[in-house]
């Protein structure tokens, strides 16, 4: 508890690779929730070791999308039964990353958000090297149990990373 | 869809519609008339029958275990697990020592689709629907959270008075026929010794209270049972669960099922939150249904065994 500022939490956590459960990385972080909850929490972190290199998979996905004749469009990922087709798996993962940013920007000490589903995703063709996707996602907020639709525009490039505009 | 002819050809590893689950129940009873019967305990808002399967070796009004799944309709792995539990009881009731000893002295009641209106709605209109489908005057919004509608701290902090909210407690306790049906059943039966209400997701095993931070008198015992049940669950696939009282482990919630059942004197009142912890959430892939049901069953057996060994 920091008087006049907010609440600071010191965390020790383990990051687990979604696609390889045996691959873990230790992480320490500090999260500062500001008084009033009007601004996103400050986050600082250090990772012990290296995150797995996904360059090959990134480039395969990048090239596949870049070479599509028609813009990618999809709905309900996962579907009602929890299915995600192999082609949509990277689109799902990208949404996961981008929603992490949205969740961070909207979190308080009294919220717990998860990405529930991608309702709709549409690729927006660009003349530059970035891939752009317009997502409508559903966020599940655990405390209120509400399902919150959210619009996000996501830019991605294998070497330049992810950018989210809400 | 093919006509279901036998519970041996039923696909337990996929999600089913209400009609398919109701057909399964009838078949299970027909195949095992000496063990299984189907009771109608009431009707939903949209007049769908509320069915409970009774597993009994005989006797009159034996001490009983109650299990319900699907009270929140979007939590599909729970109804699917309920179907699996029903079949499991039938398969194992003679050869599994633990289960056989339970059924020697106790009955098991299983309500698989506790909120059928909501369940149908998740299939036809909105996969994320949680509540019932009741309309109460003065609101455009539909539905009451059936896990905030019980008469335990009803209307207090931990539920919403806003009809449009996912945790709307309803106009008064037991306003929902789905809840009232269970209340009436429990009171009329009078001999239920363990009550388990199953939800998803979060991987938690919870005991009362949710509406107050005052610990229940039996806290120590319930905590010990939870520890044992979670250990049994994890032993199968390594799935990790946390456990504790609702209010300390998840959040404050008033008008909840197991707070009411506990206050009725049903000491062994528990709530499960099944897989996962958020990666798929409510949209748990169908291939996880059976592993989830299998591991949860081990925990349920610990609870049932404990109740049997500590009848009160």
């Amino acid at each position: 508890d920091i008087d006049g500022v907010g609440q600071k939490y010191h965390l020790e956590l383990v990051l687990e690779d979604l696609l390889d459960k045996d691959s873990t990385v230790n992480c320490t972080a500090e999260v500062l929730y500001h008084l009033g909850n009007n601004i996103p929490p400050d986050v600082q972190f250090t990772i012990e070791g290296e995150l797995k290199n996904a360059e090959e998979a990134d480039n395969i996905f990048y090239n596949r999308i870049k070479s599509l004749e028609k813009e990618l469009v999809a709905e309900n990922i996962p579907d009602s039964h929890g299915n995600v087709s192999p082609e949509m798996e990277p689109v799902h993962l990208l949404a996961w990353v981008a929603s992490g940013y949205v969740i961070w920007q909207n979190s308080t000490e009294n919220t717990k958000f998860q990405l529930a589903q991608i309702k709709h995703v549409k690729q927006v063709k660009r003349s530059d090297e970035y891939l752009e996707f317009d997502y409508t996602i559903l966020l599940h907020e655990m405390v209120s149990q509400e399902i919150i639709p959210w619009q996000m525009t996501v830019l991605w490039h294998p070497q330049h990373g992810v950018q989210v505009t809400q | 869809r093919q006509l279901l002819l036998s519970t041996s050809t039923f696909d337990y590893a996929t999600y089913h519609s209400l009609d398919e689950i109701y057909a399964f129940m009838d078949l299970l009873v027909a195949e095992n008339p000496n063990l299984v019967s189907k009771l109608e305990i009431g009707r939903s808002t949209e007049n769908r029958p509320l069915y409970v399967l009774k597993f009994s070796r005989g006797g009159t009004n034996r001490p009983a275990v109650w299990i319900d799944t699907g009270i929140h309709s979007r939590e599909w792995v729970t109804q699917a697990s309920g179907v699996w539990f029903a079949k499991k009881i039938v398969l194992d009731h003679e050869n599994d020592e633990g289960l056989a000893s339970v059924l020697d002295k106790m009955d098991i009641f299983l309500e698989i689709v506790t909120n059928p209106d909501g369940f149908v709605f998740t299939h036809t209109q909105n996969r994320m629907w949680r509540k019932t489908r009741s309309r109460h005057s003065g609101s455009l919004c539909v539905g009451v959270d059936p896990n905030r509608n019980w008469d335990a701290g009803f209307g207090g902090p931990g539920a919403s008075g806003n009809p449009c909210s996912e945790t709307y407690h309803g106009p008064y306790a037991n306003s929902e026929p789905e809840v009232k049906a269970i209340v009436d059943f429990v009171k009329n039966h009078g001999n239920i010794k363990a009550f388990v209400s199953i939800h998803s997701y979060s991987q938690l095993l919870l005991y009362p209270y949710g509406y107050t931070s005052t610990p229940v008198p039996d806290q120590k015992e319930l905590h010990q049972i939870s520890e044992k049940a979670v250990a049994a669950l994890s032993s199968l696939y390594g799935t990790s669960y946390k456990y504790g009282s609702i209010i300390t482990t998840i959040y404050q919630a008033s008008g909840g099922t197991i707070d009411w059942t506990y206050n009725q004197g049903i000491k062994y009142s528990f709530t499960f939150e099944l897989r996962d912890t958020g990666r798929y959430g409510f949209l748990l892939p169908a291939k996880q249904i059976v592993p989830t049901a299998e591991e949860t069953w081990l925990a349920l057996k610990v609870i049932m065994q404990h109740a049997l060994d500590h009848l009160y």
Side-chain angles (χ1 to χ4, degrees):
Chain A
D1 199 3
I2 303 176
D3 271 343
V5 179
Q7 300 270 52
K8 192 179 235 197
Y9 294 84
H10 178 83
L11 304 168
E12 283 167 26
L13 47 143
V14 179
L15 302 180
E16 181 188 89
D17 188 341
L18 263 185
L19 305 175
D20 177 10
K21 287 190 123 209
D22 294 326
S23 175
T24 63
V25 151
N26 290 334
C27 179
T28 55
E30 284 194 345
V31 179
L32 172 62
Y33 290 102
H34 297 273
L35 278 178
N37 287 327
N38 290 324
I39 39 179
D42 292 340
V43 179
Q44 311 263 31
F45 65 93
T46 18
I47 297 179
E48 288 166 42
E50 270 168 34
L51 296 175
K52 204 164 80 163
N53 185 306
E55 221 179 286
E56 200 189 323
D58 283 353
N59 287 328
I60 290 171
F61 174 58
Y62 180 81
N63 290 324
R64 176 162 70 88
I65 303 299
K66 266 293 181 189
S67 61
L68 286 175
E69 264 180 41
K70 273 189 78 185
E71 288 92 342
L72 181 148
V73 174
E75 310 194 302
N76 293 334
I77 301 166
D79 67 16
S80 284
H81 293 225
N83 298 317
V84 179
S85 68
E87 309 85 61
M88 285 304 142
E89 191 56 50
V91 173
H92 185 216
L93 290 171
L94 182 61
W96 196 267
V97 173
S99 66
Y101 174 79
V102 171
I103 289 170
W104 168 35
Q105 295 295 295
N106 290 279
S107 286
T108 72
E109 280 169 286
N110 301 311
T111 60
K112 186 172 174 178
F113 288 101
Q114 296 282 358
L115 173 66
Q117 192 181 34
I118 301 165
K119 278 311 281 181
H120 188 83
V121 58
K122 187 186 74 193
Q123 182 195 359
V124 178
K125 283 224 174 182
R126 292 175 70 93
S127 48
D128 66 13
E129 50 178 355
Y130 280 87
L131 295 183
E132 180 177 333
F133 296 96
D134 269 343
Y135 282 96
T136 304
I137 57 171
L138 297 179
L139 293 175
H140 172 224
E141 202 288 295
M142 195 67 83
V143 179
S144 64
Q145 289 294 332
E146 298 294 332
I147 300 289
I148 302 158
W150 204 277
Q151 204 86 37
M152 55 183 196
T153 301
V154 182
L155 294 176
W156 178 69
H157 182 276
Q159 275 77 53
H160 306 319
V162 179
Q163 230 186 294
V164 181
T165 49
Q166 293 179 215
Chain B
R1 294 275 178 154
Q2 274 186 314
L3 194 62
L4 181 67
L5 294 170
S6 146
T7 63
S8 314
T9 56
F10 187 86
D11 189 351
Y12 296 92
T14 188
Y15 293 108
H16 290 274
S17 68
L18 185 69
D19 290 344
E20 288 167 352
I21 295 176
Y22 278 14
F24 162 84
M25 286 185 207
D26 288 338
L27 265 182
L28 195 72
V29 170
E31 291 166 7
N32 304 277
N34 295 326
L35 180 66
V36 196
S37 54
K38 185 177 86 172
L39 314 169
E40 185 173 323
I41 63 167
R43 296 237 148 191
S44 68
T45 289
E46 293 175 343
N47 205 34
R48 293 187 173 86
L50 302 167
Y51 290 133
V52 172
L53 292 178
K54 177 183 180 183
F55 300 85
S56 179
R57 291 251 191 87
T60 311
N61 199 237
R62 284 184 169 177
V65 175
W66 166 284
I67 301 166
D68 65 73
T69 52
I71 194 169
H72 286 142
S73 38
R74 62 190 180 198
E75 298 166 7
W76 276 19
V77 71
T78 70
Q79 299 95 335
S81 294
V83 168
W84 189 91
F85 298 151
K87 181 62 174 174
K88 183 68 168 166
I89 295 171
V90 154
L91 285 172
D92 280 11
H93 79 280
E94 279 168 335
N95 56 64
D96 179 280
E97 226 183 281
L99 182 62
S101 65
V102 168
L103 283 168
D104 245 2
K105 302 267 184 328
M106 302 178 80
D107 294 339
I108 301 174
F109 292 99
L110 175 62
E111 186 174 10
I112 298 174
V113 189
T114 306
N115 177 6
D117 295 349
F119 190 56
V120 169
F121 201 74
T122 60
H123 279 270
T124 57
Q125 303 270 29
N126 180 354
R127 175 63 179 81
M128 296 293 172
W129 191 260
R130 166 186 169 89
K131 302 187 286 183
T132 62
R133 292 293 302 164
S134 59
R135 275 156 223 274
H136 295 279
S137 65
S139 178
L140 293 167
C141 290
V142 177
V144 167
D145 184 343
N147 199 23
R148 300 288 185 282
N149 189 242
W150 301 72
D151 200 0
F154 177 82
S160 173
N162 180 350
C164 301
S165 162
E166 294 282 30
T167 56
Y168 175 49
H169 49 58
Y172 50 88
N174 305 327
S175 63
E176 302 312 282
E178 297 82 355
V179 170
K180 181 82 170 42
I182 302 174
V183 168
D184 290 346
F185 179 85
V186 167
K187 283 183 164 170
N188 292 334
H189 187 281
N191 210 17
I192 294 175
K193 299 301 176 189
F195 191 105
V196 182
S197 193
I198 301 185
H199 292 253
S200 76
Y201 58 94
S202 284
Q203 292 174 203
L204 303 170
L205 176 51
L206 306 166
Y207 50 80
Y209 287 121
Y211 77 96
T212 172
S213 51
T214 306
V216 290
D218 301 294
Q219 140 98 8
K220 198 154 170 250
E221 188 185 355
L222 297 183
H223 201 76
Q224 281 168 350
I225 298 169
S226 302
E227 185 175 17
K228 212 171 155 213
V230 161
L233 186 153
S234 300
S235 70
L236 197 55
Y237 297 110
T239 306
S240 65
Y241 264 61
K242 295 199 182 66
Y243 55 95
S245 70
I246 296 168
I247 198 170
T248 59
T249 313
I250 192 169
Y251 41 53
Q252 184 175 29
S254 60
T257 309
I258 65 166
D259 286 0
W260 180 80
T261 58
Y262 184 85
N263 285 346
Q264 289 296 299
I266 303 175
K267 191 177 9 164
Y268 303 122
S269 289
F270 292 93
T271 283
F272 280 80
E273 293 278 357
L274 303 185
R275 292 194 194 181
D276 60 13
T277 53
R279 178 169 178 197
Y280 289 96
F282 301 121
L283 307 180
L284 195 71
K287 64 178 188 274
Q288 289 197 46
I289 294 171
V290 173
T292 301
E294 286 175 331
E295 66 192 12
T296 307
W297 183 242
L298 297 182
L300 286 172
K301 283 209 294 175
V302 166
I303 294 170
M304 293 194 289
Q305 189 71 53
H306 188 96
L308 175 69
D309 295 338
H310 299 84
L311 281 176
Y312 54 94

